[in-house]
Amino acid sequence: MDELRRRVAEINWFHTIDLGGGIVTPGETHPERILPRLRLPDLTGREVLDVGAWDGFFSFAAERRGAARVLATDSFSWGGRGWGTRAGFDLARAALGSHVEDAEVDVMDLDPAALGTFDVVLFLGVLYHLRDPVTALERVAAVTRDLLVVETEVAMLLHRQPAAAFYPGAELGDDPTNWWAPNPAAVLGMLRLAGFRRVEVAWRRRLPRRVAGWVVNRVRGATDVGLADIVQRYRFVFHAWR
Ligand SMILES: C[S@@+](CC[C@H](N)C(=O)[O-])C[C@H]1O[C@@H](n2cnc3c(N)ncnc32)[C@H](O)[C@@H]1O
């Protein structure tokens, strides 16, 4: 356990993951709070692909929920182009005794001939990192057999027409790898364009709740985000069926 603790401390973690024995990775994010928002179906016996898995929290969660096979893929972080690496995924997989498979592949190179197709595909926190989200969703659709779950930054929430905010620099979260935040109508339109037959918003936080949460966080000094930002943008979850 001391050896595991030492190795955990050497890694820059994106995901907070409970590895058991009182060891929890010091992640930048708390994906266990996002998991219920995904409204995942019963995964028993199903094949799951996690695109942009990073430390693999959602891949391990799918395995725990009974998936017959889980493939975790990533490219940017695993390829060492960001502040993270794939060391977290490798260590967590070993520590959890997980059988999640892995492949280093860019979203744009997802190919059913090479990877096969999957009942359920998780595309969480990746869409807004892509310069060409429409083509990316077509690549993701090509490896989806049944359900695609998209969790993404959305913006321009006061616009009813399909629209997207563009971040050519580091405007969003001071991160130059963020490019586009579409509004829900645009996400649904892109999913239909990519070939999904039925598309819906699976989880959203409505404006009064967003504003109320912002007020609480502001009073606590827990956010420096402005009110205009909370009105215009958030994170939503979408489901799309082939
Ligand atoms: C914000 S993190 C989300 C990680 C995880 N899916 C989650 O929801 O917590 C974005 C992930 O997408 C990956 N990513 C970004 N661009 C990618 C691309 N073109 N191909 C594959 N993965 C990519 C990054 O490496 C990173 O792991």
Side-chain angles (χ1 to χ4, degrees):
M1 276 298 169
D2 281 353
E3 170 64 5
L4 178 58
R5 221 179 276 279
R6 188 189 61 73
R7 291 178 64 195
V8 164
E10 284 172 356
I11 291 170
N12 290 329
W13 293 89
F14 185 65
H15 287 156
T16 303
I17 305 177
D18 188 343
L19 299 180
I23 301 179
V24 179
T25 66
E28 206 185 59
T29 59
H30 291 273
E32 75 281 359
R33 295 178 194 160
I34 307 298
L35 191 57
R37 299 180 182 179
L38 302 181
R39 309 273 200 259
L40 291 179
D42 181 5
L43 296 179
T44 310
R46 310 204 81 193
E47 296 191 324
V48 176
L49 172 65
D50 183 8
V51 178
W54 203 334
D55 295 330
F57 173 91
F58 294 104
S59 307
F60 306 131
E63 183 179 51
R64 257 197 327 275
R65 289 174 174 222
R69 178 187 177 213
V70 182
L71 174 65
T73 64
D74 207 302
S75 165
F76 185 83
S77 300
W78 284 7
R81 282 184 282 156
W83 58 263
T85 64
R86 60 166 291 157
F89 173 82
D90 288 337
L91 183 60
R93 178 170 60 181
L96 295 169
S98 159
H99 299 289
V100 168
E101 299 165 33
D102 66 273
E104 194 170 322
V105 52
D106 193 286
V107 173
M108 295 309 196
D109 298 327
L110 289 173
D111 177 4
L115 295 178
T117 57
F118 295 80
D119 298 307
V120 178
V121 175
L122 307 179
F123 195 48
L124 315 174
V126 186
L127 187 68
Y128 54 91
H129 285 296
L130 302 165
R131 285 189 187 213
D132 182 351
V134 175
T135 307
L137 285 173
E138 285 172 354
R139 301 315 317 145
V140 173
V143 292
T144 306
R145 253 193 327 259
D146 185 20
L147 172 67
L148 171 66
V149 181
V150 180
E151 190 272 341
T152 188
E153 176 84 18
V154 282
M156 306 193 69
L157 291 174
L158 298 181
H159 292 249
R160 293 269 166 245
Q161 298 300 318
F166 178 46
Y167 308 106
E171 296 88 347
L172 178 61
D174 200 25
D175 180 349
T177 75
N178 291 332
W179 293 103
W180 294 97
N183 67 0
V187 177
L188 296 171
M190 285 193 272
L191 288 167
R192 280 192 206 97
L193 199 60
F196 290 94
R197 173 173 61 77
R198 183 154 69 90
V199 297
E200 67 180 32
V201 177
W203 185 91
R204 80 177 77 196
R205 180 141 287 167
R206 292 184 188 277
L207 183 58
R209 287 277 318 272
R210 297 203 299 275
V211 172
W214 175 82
V215 170
V216 170
N217 284 332
R218 212 39 196 238
V219 169
R220 285 188 190 142
T223 183
D224 51 9
V225 169
L227 179 60
D229 260 356
I230 283 299
V231 169
Q232 285 283 4
R233 63 182 186 83
Y234 211 72
R235 307 282 292 220
F236 283 12
V237 177
F238 300 83
H239 283 181
W241 287 267
R242 294 286 286 165

